Amino acid sequence: PAPGAPGGLFAWLRGRCLGRGAAVDPARDTFGAMTGLYGAIQPADSVSLSTRTHGAVFNLEYSPDGSVLTVACEQTEVLLFDPISSKHIQTLSEAHEDCVNNIRFLDNRLFATCSDDTTIALWDLRKLSTKVCTLHGHTSWVKNIEYDTNTRLLVTSGFDGNVIIWDTNRCTEDGCPHKKFFHTRFLMRMRLTPDCSKMLISTSSGYLLILHDLDLNKSLEVGSYPILRARRTTSSSDVASSGSSTPRAVGSPCHHNDLGPLSEKHLSRASQREGGSPRNSLEVLTPEVPGERDRGNCITSLQLHPKGWATLLRCSSNTDDQEWTCVYEFQEGAPVRPISPRCSLRLTHCIEEANVGRGYIKELCFSPDGRMISSPHGFGIRLLGFDGQCRELVDCLPREARPLREIRSLYSHTDVVLTTKFSPTHCQIASGCLSGRVSLYQPKF
């Protein structure tokens, strides 16, 4: 709103602080129109993309300009499609020696893939006949890739419990210089906030780790980082000792790791903190999950709001008999009293998911404007909003947690959907399932 609009100057200034308004986001009206189009998509408005048997689809990723859709497959393949024409471009038939788990674009041409073969590969769309290089450093399945565009550092995580930093500024055919940045037990997923100021790590034991004031150039050895505002619902030693739930891969056996850096001794440093937060301050918390207060849970999927306002989790009970999609708002600022713990996350919205495909991880995502969530739901996907009008999160923050609103259900698969992704530039949603089919949803005119 303009200064002269209802609400006056103070309301306008508050909107600017929250990252809203035409002066801050000139594309807001465009995203509002896109949201309306998403709500009009029908189940029949889908296109099936497939080449040959390539196993389950574990991950989907669009290039930043939306011109290429990449597909990570169970049977060592990476598929590339033109999402506009729905045409198959190329198949990288032996991209890895084991399951391809995740794909991440560094820019519109360069992308990285990771695999259960413990390696990461860099590819260039202009020359897909050979890899740019292969990165060796993990000792177990690599599940997640992030990229800091400011420093051009690649960040990967795997079931060896390690988060590794790769310097792509000094990349050669033999690989990139790398270092182990962080280690924890039961690591599932790792994400960077859009401004790379925080790193979030989810675990199969139900804990969420947040590194505040992130500095990727400083490796964190055991005991070298301060623990801040630790909010726990169980004893603090459980991070190092809990073994009730082990990391589970999509269609893969359990994996155990015997190392754990956190202990009572390290957590007690929270009470010793004085002054401002130092770099790489670690917060350990157990996110509230509806219906799971008396049982353990596993955080299987972790995503972040495109504007950094919230985190999106897919949680399942240890027995896999219940799943939830939960949204948590970031609460910034110091605690009221320095010695009083304060949780940085507050549950704002949640919804129970279909318990289909037990043991398989379902990857969900935010829309480019953050107003909608696409969530695998049985043999299809659900489009979810914070309210019935698909308003932005900061415009409809509840005092108490509320259910996410189902905007549309889209079903075009004959098997369990494992992953879904919004196009960053077009009104299009992609989904991939256990039997290897990829579907595109878009409105028809």
Side-chain angles (χ1 to χ4, degrees), residues 307-319:
K307 296 180 181 179
W309 293 340
T311 184
L312 175 65
L313 303 182
R314 180 80 168 238
C315 304
S316 64
S317 62
N318 284 337
T319 55

Side-chain angles (χ1 to χ4, degrees), residues 263-340:
S263 66
E264 293 277 8
K265 175 182 176 182
H266 299 135
L267 286 168
S268 66
R269 297 182 182 181
S271 62
Q272 301 172 5
R273 178 172 66 93
E274 295 181 1
S277 300
R279 302 297 297 271
N280 294 330
S281 302
L282 178 64
E283 179 179 12
V284 185
L285 53 90
T286 307
E288 176 187 356
V289 179
E292 292 297 304
R293 293 180 176 86
D294 300 322
R295 295 187 295 170
N297 62 83
C298 174
I299 305 174
T300 57
S301 182
L302 167 66
Q303 300 291 338
L304 288 166
H305 190 282
K307 296 180 181 179
W309 293 340
T311 184
L312 175 65
L313 303 182
R314 180 80 168 238
C315 304
S316 64
S317 62
N318 284 337
T319 55
D320 268 338
D321 60 351
Q322 193 175 25
E323 284 193 317
W324 293 85
T325 288
C326 302
V327 178
Y328 301 86
E329 171 205 12
F330 278 109
Q331 299 186 100
E332 301 294 348
V336 177
R337 297 188 305 275
I339 60 173
S340 173

Side-chain angles (χ1 to χ4, degrees), residues 33-41 62 84 422-429 441-443 445:
M34 292 273 279
T35 301
L37 291 174
Y38 284 130
I41 292 177
Y62 285 88
I84 307 304
F422 283 91
S423 167
T425 55
H426 300 86
C427 187
Q428 185 181 82
I429 311 167
Y441 307 90
Q442 53 197 21
F445 301 98

